[in-house]
Amino acid sequence: KKAKEEATLKLHASDAERHLMTEESESLKRERDEAKTSLEAVEAALVESTTRLEGEVNDLRRLRSELEASVEDLKEKVETAEREKREAMESFEKEKERYEVVMKELETARTKLREVTDEAAASKAQLASLKGLEETLKKESVERKRLHNKLQDMKGKIRVYCRVRPVSLSEQAGGTKEVVEVEDEFTVALDTRQGHKQFLFDRIFGPESKQEEVFEECKHLVQSAVDGYNVCVFAYGQTGSGKTFTISGCDENPGLVLRAVSELFSSMRAAKRKKFSLSVRMLELYM
């Protein structure tokens, strides 16, 4: 009997526990359903918010693109305006320069007009003294000729110049170095096996010298030839030393011959009262 009562008590306790667990399970289900409902509401709200934000972001992107396009358009307009401004300023400066040139030409024309007027007023007196001026010119021409050729005689009947050519590219590639030192306008030096040696000339032209410089030193001989004196210029040196370049040169950089002939004809044209007879011969000497 006692055992039966204990079994009955255990059965009642088990039913109570089962009932309690059922109530707790139903409570958990309700909480789960409520949580699920809340989660679905949150997800719906999140989706709605995300959709709204994406719309706003797209609107902002579109607005930014429109603003960037507007900025680029404004930049182009500003650049165009600045370019037109520069062109307008350049045009203004050119017109201003033209105006200044025209004003200077006008002033020059006025000055020349006054000079011509003054010359016309003095022409009668000038005509009266013209014969005296011609006689003076003849005397001065004779005196100039005498002094010029006396100066050439004082410089010496024979003058020896030295021209040092630069090292060529092929020589540089082969390791060739300059051995000639131009100490001044009249002295060159060499370091030889016998020691340091100097050589004196009437004039030295260094590697950087130009054709114009060489001709300028010989230019006065053309005038002596026009005055009736015998003149001779020749180049001497070993093969490849630069003789042909100095004497003949090239079309872009002519040498002594072409420059001397040009100077000769200029001097002849200047001496209008004289008559000249020219002849040309060409000789090649090989030694």
Side-chain angles (χ1 to χ4, degrees), residues 2 13 16 65 132 141 175 254 258 274:
K2 187 177 180 179
S65 300
S141 178
L258 293 178
K274 295 182 179 180

Side-chain angles (χ1 to χ4, degrees), residues 134 137-138 268-276:
E134 288 180 350
L137 179 61
K138 289 180 181 179
M268 290 167 53
R269 283 192 294 268
K272 297 179 180 180
R273 295 180 178 273
K274 295 182 179 180
K275 293 183 179 180
F276 298 91

Side-chain angles (χ1 to χ4, degrees), residues 12 21 55 88 96 102 108 136 150 159 196 210 223 254 278:
H12 285 299
M21 289 178 65
K96 182 179 178 182
V102 170
T108 302
T136 303
K150 183 178 180 180
R159 272 159 279 168
H196 187 75
K210 307 297 182 182
Q223 184 59 50
L278 298 179

Side-chain angles (χ1 to χ4, degrees), residues 75-89:
K75 284 183 179 179
E76 291 180 359
K77 290 181 179 179
V78 169
E79 291 176 355
T80 301
E82 290 179 350
R83 183 171 61 254
E84 291 176 351
K85 179 182 177 182
R86 288 194 300 269
E87 292 175 353
M89 290 299 296

Side-chain angles (χ1 to χ4, degrees), residues 119-135:
E119 290 175 359
S123 60
K124 292 183 179 181
Q126 291 176 350
L127 289 174
S129 61
L130 181 60
K131 290 184 178 181
L133 291 175
E134 288 180 350
E135 291 297 326

Side-chain angles (χ1 to χ4, degrees), residues 133-194:
L133 291 175
E134 288 180 350
E135 291 297 326
T136 303
L137 179 61
K138 289 180 181 179
K139 292 180 181 179
E140 289 180 351
S141 178
V142 173
E143 182 66 12
R144 180 205 57 75
K145 177 179 177 180
R146 185 185 68 80
L147 293 176
H148 171 78
N149 291 286
K150 183 178 180 180
L151 177 62
Q152 303 312 310
D153 291 340
M154 292 175 65
K155 286 184 176 180
K157 295 287 186 179
I158 299 175
R159 272 159 279 168
V160 181
Y161 299 150
C162 174
R163 188 178 191 184
V164 181
R165 73 165 176 81
V167 178
S168 66
L169 295 177
S170 60
E171 290 171 339
Q172 293 178 11
T176 303
K177 297 181 180 180
E178 293 186 3
V179 297
V180 179
E181 178 184 359
V182 179
E183 295 186 346
D184 53 42
E185 292 186 358
F186 311 101
T187 310
V188 293
L190 290 172
D191 288 326
T192 67
R193 295 178 180 178
Q194 290 75 32

Side-chain angles (χ1 to χ4, degrees), residues 25-216:
S25 176
E26 290 177 355
S27 177
L28 289 173
K29 285 181 179 181
R30 284 193 301 272
E31 290 177 358
R32 183 194 65 184
D33 293 338
E34 290 175 357
K36 183 178 180 181
T37 302
S38 298
L39 180 60
E40 290 176 350
V42 170
E43 288 179 350
L46 181 59
V47 170
E48 182 181 356
S49 299
T50 301
T51 303
R52 186 178 65 256
L53 289 175
E54 288 178 351
E56 292 177 355
V57 167
N58 291 332
D59 291 340
L60 290 174
R61 288 176 178 172
R62 184 170 60 257
L63 180 60
R64 185 183 67 180
S65 300
E66 293 175 354
L67 290 175
E68 290 177 349
S70 299
V71 169
E72 292 298 324
D73 185 55
L74 289 174
K75 284 183 179 179
E76 291 180 359
K77 290 181 179 179
V78 169
E79 291 176 355
T80 301
E82 290 179 350
R83 183 171 61 254
E84 291 176 351
K85 179 182 177 182
R86 288 194 300 269
E87 292 175 353
M89 290 299 296
E90 292 175 357
S91 177
F92 172 76
E93 291 297 330
K94 290 180 180 179
E95 292 299 329
K96 182 179 178 182
E97 291 177 0
R98 291 195 190 99
Y99 172 77
E100 292 176 352
V101 169
V102 170
M103 291 302 296
K104 288 181 180 179
E105 292 177 351
L106 179 60
E107 185 61 30
T108 302
R110 289 174 178 172
T111 302
K112 288 183 178 180
L113 179 60
R114 288 193 295 268
E115 292 175 354
V116 170
T117 303
D118 295 339
E119 290 175 359
S123 60
K124 292 183 179 181
Q126 291 176 350
L127 289 174
S129 61
L130 181 60
K131 290 184 178 181
L133 291 175
E134 288 180 350
E135 291 297 326
T136 303
L137 179 61
K138 289 180 181 179
K139 292 180 181 179
E140 289 180 351
S141 178
V142 173
E143 182 66 12
R144 180 205 57 75
K145 177 179 177 180
R146 185 185 68 80
L147 293 176
H148 171 78
N149 291 286
K150 183 178 180 180
L151 177 62
Q152 303 312 310
D153 291 340
M154 292 175 65
K155 286 184 176 180
K157 295 287 186 179
I158 299 175
R159 272 159 279 168
V160 181
Y161 299 150
C162 174
R163 188 178 191 184
V164 181
R165 73 165 176 81
V167 178
S168 66
L169 295 177
S170 60
E171 290 171 339
Q172 293 178 11
T176 303
K177 297 181 180 180
E178 293 186 3
V179 297
V180 179
E181 178 184 359
V182 179
E183 295 186 346
D184 53 42
E185 292 186 358
F186 311 101
T187 310
V188 293
L190 290 172
D191 288 326
T192 67
R193 295 178 180 178
Q194 290 75 32
H196 187 75
K197 292 188 177 182
Q198 291 181 327
F199 300 90
L200 299 178
F201 294 90
D202 293 299
R203 176 67 190 275
I204 304 294
F205 299 98
E208 70 285 352
S209 63
K210 307 297 182 182
Q211 297 281 66
E212 295 84 349
E213 299 177 38
V214 179
F215 176 69
E216 192 63 29

